[in-house]
Amino acid sequence: MTESAVLPATRPMWPRAAWLITAAGWGANQFSPMLGAYRRELGLSAATVTGLFAIYVLGLVPGLLLGGPGADRYGRRAVVLGAVALSVLATGALLLGEVGVPWLGVGRFASGFAMGAVLAAGSAWVKELSHPPHDDAPEGTGARRASLFLSAGFGLGGLVAALIAQWAPLDVAYLPHLVLSTVALVAAVRVPETAPRVVPGKRVTGIRDPRFRRMVVPVAPWVFAAPATGFAVLPSVVERRLGGAETVFAGVAIAVVLGAGLLIQPVGRRLAARAVLLPALIGLAAIGFGMLLGTAAAVTGGPAFALLADAVLGCGYGLCVTFGLTEIARIAPPEGLARLSAVWWALTYIGFCAPYVFALLTKVTTPPVILGAAAVLAFLTGAGVALRHRTASS
């Protein structure tokens, strides 16, 4: 048998599925650092800009709710490929944003829907492609791989778009996503389906498992509360010291948060090998300390404090998301993995409301007080999860 006949059967296929997650994450986050630029160039009001940010979440929720069950019933492959194709169309709509603001709304909603479907189905697909008969990686590797490629897409998409938008027309900032998504779709055409056969009438997901309720659910909202605070709240509290570089700083903040989240995940693997709950507890502690550093940034107005807080918040994000995905893979039966993943991601996106909560609370108190209270809540969540785990184990 020739070498060319052997390699396609032995080469792991999970990276091709994982790059689709990166492409979807890139498309979802490329718009965020350009909010300020759109406000200046198109004369949009603060309410309109906030609405465009929120429309993404409105699209993401049905994407999750339909993508999870759809992936369990029709297969991971069809859902992920279709969702990334929709992400490309969403970017096309964003390109028309300077023609008419409604196109921005269409693009944001569609990118949210696409991201929701990929979150629900993509992590399950990568997890299954990482284990026999497709690969022989250790348990938990698939979840970590999905988390790494998702963080890379979120972080690089925001950073690259910000750097381009600072010195080039806004439309140019969307071109890298179109190229990346097209290449990823072509590369993934031959990736096999992995979804197990669903028994008619069987709807077991693991959502009633005590581990899910006691450990996973309390941690979930902090997964995105941390990065949302890092790249949507902290740049606003130091903007007076940025000297016109708000767009670049927003992109750098995204890269710092999600880059730290990506780099910390090997540490999370070693922590999980010592104790299953350790990544979550240290992650929540990191989020608490990151919020305290954010408090210092709000008091001093110093961009350096904000970036340091971003790095610590990113570490907390990385540890918590790795913990959540790993536990989901352990708890869910094969035929319910995508459904439980969809529930998990829906819970994590509650944390994306953090910037809106922050904006509302600033009407009655100051940013340092809000960030300090968030730090206390993160520490209390960690203590509560540890106590419930200890009680359940005794």
Side-chain angles (χ1 to χ4, degrees):
M1 186 177 292
T2 64
E3 182 181 4
S4 61
V6 174
L7 284 177
T10 58
R11 185 181 296 124
M13 301 298 285
W14 69 265
R16 301 189 185 195
W19 277 113
L20 290 171
I21 296 178
T22 298
W26 187 300
N29 222 28
Q30 62 184 338
F31 183 83
S32 299
M34 297 194 292
L35 288 171
Y38 272 115
R39 184 175 179 178
R40 291 191 302 273
E41 294 194 13
L42 300 184
L44 303 181
S45 67
T48 299
V49 170
T50 303
L52 289 172
F53 195 75
I55 286 173
Y56 166 81
V57 180
L58 294 179
L60 182 129
V61 172
L64 284 168
L65 296 178
L66 296 175
D72 283 335
R73 183 168 183 176
Y74 302 109
R76 299 16 173 156
R77 186 175 182 275
V79 171
V80 175
L81 292 177
V84 175
L86 177 61
S87 180
V88 171
L89 295 177
T91 294
L94 293 174
L95 282 167
L96 297 174
E98 293 190 66
V99 177
V101 174
W103 283 109
L104 294 177
V106 171
R108 288 293 287 163
F109 183 89
S111 65
F113 190 97
M115 189 70 251
V118 170
L119 287 173
S123 55
W125 200 17
V126 171
K127 183 260 183 184
E128 291 158 354
L129 286 168
S130 297
H131 302 294
H134 307 285
D135 198 5
D136 58 354
E139 181 183 357
T141 302
R144 287 188 291 272
R145 287 170 173 173
S147 178
L148 285 169
F149 277 75
L150 175 66
S151 298
F154 279 152
L156 290 174
L159 176 61
V160 171
L163 292 175
I164 294 174
Q166 183 71 35
W167 293 288
L170 294 179
D171 291 350
V172 180
Y174 295 117
L175 298 182
H177 175 247
L178 296 178
V179 174
L180 172 62
S181 297
T182 301
V183 172
L185 283 168
V186 171
V189 166
R190 298 182 64 183
V191 178
E193 179 56 66
T194 60
R197 185 176 66 87
V198 177
V199 178
K202 190 174 183 181
R203 291 291 184 269
V204 179
T205 64
I207 197 170
R208 297 173 183 252
D209 191 299
R211 291 174 296 171
F212 182 76
R213 299 196 309 270
R214 291 172 178 167
M215 297 192 300
V216 177
V217 171
V219 175
W222 292 102
V223 167
F224 282 131
T229 300
F231 59 70
V233 171
L234 294 185
S236 69
V237 302
V238 300
E239 62 183 357
R240 289 175 297 177
R241 300 274 296 274
L242 298 178
E246 293 89 353
T247 300
V248 167
F249 188 85
V252 171
I254 291 173
V256 169
V257 170
L258 297 168
L262 189 152
L263 294 174
I264 199 67
Q265 291 183 34
V267 177
R269 180 174 65 249
R270 291 193 289 271
L271 292 173
R274 297 178 59 185
V276 65
L277 198 57
L278 205 51
L281 297 181
I282 295 180
L284 289 168
I287 292 172
F289 283 116
M291 294 293 182
L292 291 178
L293 288 168
T295 303
V299 170
T300 65
F305 270 122
L307 290 178
L308 182 58
D310 286 338
V312 179
L313 289 169
C315 289
Y317 153 79
L319 292 173
C320 288
V321 75
T322 300
F323 163 77
L325 288 175
T326 302
E327 281 303 290
I328 290 300
R330 289 173 177 166
I331 293 170
E335 68 274 9
L337 179 57
R339 287 174 183 266
L340 193 59
S341 295
V343 174
W344 150 256
W345 284 115
L347 291 171
T348 65
Y349 265 88
I350 293 173
F352 231 76
C353 297
Y356 308 110
V357 174
F358 179 87
L360 290 174
L361 291 177
T362 53
K363 297 179 180 179
V364 296
T365 187
T366 62
V369 171
I370 299 169
L371 292 166
V376 172
L377 284 175
F379 291 136
L380 289 176
T381 302
V385 169
L387 181 61
R388 295 188 72 183
H389 177 65
R390 181 177 179 181
T391 303
S393 302
S394 61

